Amino acid sequence: MAKFLTTTGTNYHLEELIKGASDRLILISPFLKLNDRMKELLADKNRLKIDVRIVYGKSELQPQEIEWLRGLTYIRTSFCKNLHAKCYMNEEMCIITSLNLYEFSQVNNNEMGILIQRGEDSQLYKDAYEEAQRIIRISDEVRISLERVSNVPEASATEADKGTEAEPTGDKLTSSKIAAKLGMKTAQFMDRATEQGFLAVDGDKHVMTAKGEKAGVEFVAKSRFGPYFLWPQDFHPV
């Protein structure tokens, strides 16, 4: 049965929800501004290679926080226009609440929330999960950035190739899109493509190899979201 949460209860169960995520974590909030505790929890999920999706409507992150978030490979961010929903869920729990993922709300505001346990309210959890997925689908997946051009080698890509690149035109797919088509996480796809020699690792970047170029892989060096790769729609690493 769903459980009513006060401000204190919402904050407590939100932390437990994040800590308990073992496969996926979805955080939907109109406002995005992370306190130190939240950053610590998310960094831990990244170390454990948990797939984290953050959907936001407005970011108030400071430049140093943006740089920090850019370094988390397994955390993907999406912008959703006119977002007002606040929903946080892992594979077993869901919180629907008035609480933003915003430190002011967590400290100063009077909030309410509802905790849904998948094991007790499977249909209610399913309905919330499907709506969360719809919000993700209509959102623009982007890498939060400082909107600056960095000195990137012409044949290398930074974290933008981890699944947060811009939407391309033409008949080729981004790394995140081709990974989803193949039923993989983006990081898994990039690792597989590297293992098969289509890409190589140079420091903290992926670079395209001659084999990748021959297979029709393209490298986009400059975009507002950073460099990324484009893949033929029928591409499939062995």
Side-chain angles (χ1 to χ4, degrees):
M1 181 180 295
K3 178 181 178 180
F4 173 77
L5 302 176
T6 62
T7 305
T8 302
T10 302
N11 278 294
Y12 169 77
H13 285 287
L14 176 57
E15 180 170 327
E16 292 300 303
L17 183 152
I18 294 173
K19 290 194 296 186
S22 59
D23 179 56
R24 64 174 179 266
L25 177 63
I26 299 172
L27 304 173
I28 298 174
S29 171
F31 292 96
L32 179 60
K33 186 174 183 181
L34 307 175
N35 59 33
D36 290 341
R37 179 58 175 167
M38 189 63 64
K39 288 191 285 188
E40 178 183 291
L41 293 171
L42 291 176
D44 186 53
K45 295 294 103 174
N46 186 70
R47 282 190 291 270
L48 294 173
K49 300 183 179 181
I50 305 301
D51 182 27
V52 179
R53 294 298 303 265
I54 299 176
V55 182
Y56 67 96
K58 181 179 180 181
S59 170
E60 295 193 9
L61 297 176
Q62 297 301 309
Q64 63 271 24
E65 294 174 314
I66 294 173
E67 289 298 310
W68 170 82
L69 192 56
R70 281 172 59 86
L72 302 181
T73 305
Y74 293 90
I75 296 180
R76 292 183 285 168
T77 55
S78 299
F79 172 78
C80 183
K81 184 180 179 181
N82 300 324
L83 179 66
H84 199 258
K86 296 97 173 175
C87 177
Y88 313 109
M89 61 196 319
N90 63 18
E91 59 275 3
E92 296 296 335
M93 299 168 57
C94 173
I95 296 174
I96 298 174
T97 177
S98 60
L99 180 76
N100 283 296
L101 200 62
Y102 183 69
E103 59 182 354
F104 184 89
S105 297
Q106 295 169 293
V107 174
N108 298 287
N109 290 349
N110 292 306
E111 308 285 355
M112 295 185 194
I114 296 294
L115 174 66
I116 302 167
Q117 300 278 2
R118 183 180 183 182
E120 298 177 3
D121 291 291
S122 59
Q123 184 59 51
L124 188 56
Y125 176 91
K126 180 175 181 290
D127 291 342
Y129 178 76
E130 289 179 350
E131 179 61 14
Q133 290 297 312
R134 186 191 71 82
I135 290 175
I136 291 173
R137 288 195 299 272
I138 66 173
S139 302
D140 296 320
E141 188 175 338
V142 300
R143 173 63 69 182
I144 296 177
S145 71
L146 295 177
E147 296 299 326
R148 70 184 182 194
V149 177
S150 58
N151 295 322
V152 181
E154 287 302 308
S156 65
T158 58
E159 292 302 330
D161 61 30
K162 299 297 186 179
T164 53
E165 61 274 359
E167 188 68 28
T169 58
D171 60 354
K172 293 189 177 181
L173 302 176
T174 60
S175 301
S176 60
K177 297 292 186 183
I178 193 74
K181 182 179 179 180
L182 296 173
M184 301 180 183
K185 294 180 179 179
T186 306
Q188 293 174 324
F189 170 78
M190 298 296 287
D191 289 344
R192 181 73 63 83
T194 302
E195 291 171 2
Q196 299 301 321
F198 297 99
L199 301 176
V201 176
D202 181 13
D204 62 347
K205 305 178 181 67
H206 282 95
V207 298
M208 188 165 63
T209 63
K211 181 177 180 179
E213 186 175 0
K214 184 177 180 180
V217 182
E218 293 183 22
F219 174 71
V220 179
K222 293 182 180 180
S223 78
R224 62 175 299 201
F225 304 113
Y228 60 93
F229 294 102
L230 291 176
W231 306 81
Q233 293 197 32
D234 59 353
F235 180 84
H236 196 306
V238 180

